[in-house]
Structures are given as structure tokens and as C-alpha cells.
Amino acid sequence: MQFFILFVKKYPLSLLCIGLIWYLSLIVDMPETPFDDVAFIDKWTHLVMYGGTCSVIWWEHLRCHDRPDYARLLLFAVVGMILLGGVIELLQAYCTTNRSGEWLDFWADSVGVLLGAAIGLLLYRFRKGKA
């Protein structure tokens, strides 16, 4: 229990972002927006959600540690987020009636995660150079 509380204190924004991804992906019916006419807006949304979440995980990790633990970041921020995207796409395909799972959404999730990891590395290098 103590580990869980410490984890929540270290990564509150990351957990919030992950919770929002679950909520938006499985529960909410997306309303029509003026952006619906933008080509691939759904894919851009996936890229930004997963890239942003991966970047937030990196930022919170760097905020709490002097040096990045690359193994943990690779496991949780990269592999974990890509797996999350895959699981959500499968759940949308097989467990919802208002959503569909798409390979292109999974691809956009994965590209977003890789871009988020690149942003995380830049954050670390910027922080290291500034110190």
C-alpha cells in the first residue's frame, strides 16, 4: 500500500493522463466537432494523447530522480504505453458497441509514444546541460 501511495505522489499527472485515455477511448461517445473535416484528425489525436502521456511520464520521472532509469522508462513509458494502446484497440473492437479497433490507431499510438520518448530524452539533455 505504501508503494502505491508513493507511486501516486511521484506520477500524478501520468496517472491522470492514462485515466483520461481509458475514459476517452472506452466510455465517452465523441461528439461532432468543427475539426471532423480535418484529414486523419483521429490519428493526430491518438498521436498527441500517447506522445503527451509518454512525455509527462518522462518529465515526472526526471523530476523525482537525479538520473533517468532507462530500463524503467523503456519498460513503462515506451513498452507499457504501446501495450496500453494495443489493449485499448482490442477492447474497442471486441467489448464496445460504439467504437472500433483500428490498426492505424495503434500505429498512431506507437508513433506518438516514440515521439514522446524522444521529447523525454531532450528534456533530460536540456536539464543535464542546464545543471
Side-chain angles (χ1 to χ4, degrees):
M1 183 64 161
Q2 196 172 20
F3 172 77
F4 178 74
I5 292 170
L6 182 62
F7 188 78
V8 170
K9 283 183 179 182
K10 282 186 177 183
Y11 298 97
L13 294 176
S14 301
L15 294 171
L16 178 66
C17 288
I18 291 168
L20 282 172
I21 287 173
W22 278 98
Y23 177 72
L24 293 172
S25 299
L26 297 174
I27 297 171
V28 172
D29 281 333
M30 296 309 293
E32 290 187 27
T33 69
F35 298 109
D36 287 342
D37 294 332
V38 175
F40 300 108
I41 189 66
D42 178 46
K43 308 316 173 227
W44 287 108
T45 302
H46 282 260
L47 190 134
V48 169
M49 283 192 323
Y50 282 80
T53 301
C54 184
S55 298
V56 168
I57 293 170
W58 270 81
W59 176 73
E60 288 187 322
H61 181 83
L62 293 173
R63 181 179 54 103
C64 296
H65 300 89
D66 292 331
R67 300 181 69 191
D69 183 342
Y70 291 111
R72 280 190 178 169
L73 285 167
L74 178 66
L75 181 65
F76 294 111
V78 178
V79 175
M81 287 302 298
I82 290 173
L83 287 174
L84 175 67
V87 166
I88 286 178
E89 290 305 317
L90 289 172
L91 288 172
Q92 285 179 333
Y94 296 111
C95 298
T96 65
T97 56
N98 60 338
R99 295 296 178 101
S100 63
E102 295 182 29
W103 281 105
L104 281 178
D105 287 350
F106 178 64
W107 182 82
D109 299 342
S110 301
V111 170
V113 167
L114 294 176
L115 289 173
I119 291 169
L121 282 170
L122 289 173
L123 285 171
Y124 172 63
R125 297 212 188 269
F126 177 74
R127 180 177 165 225
K128 182 176 142 182
K130 201 171 186 181

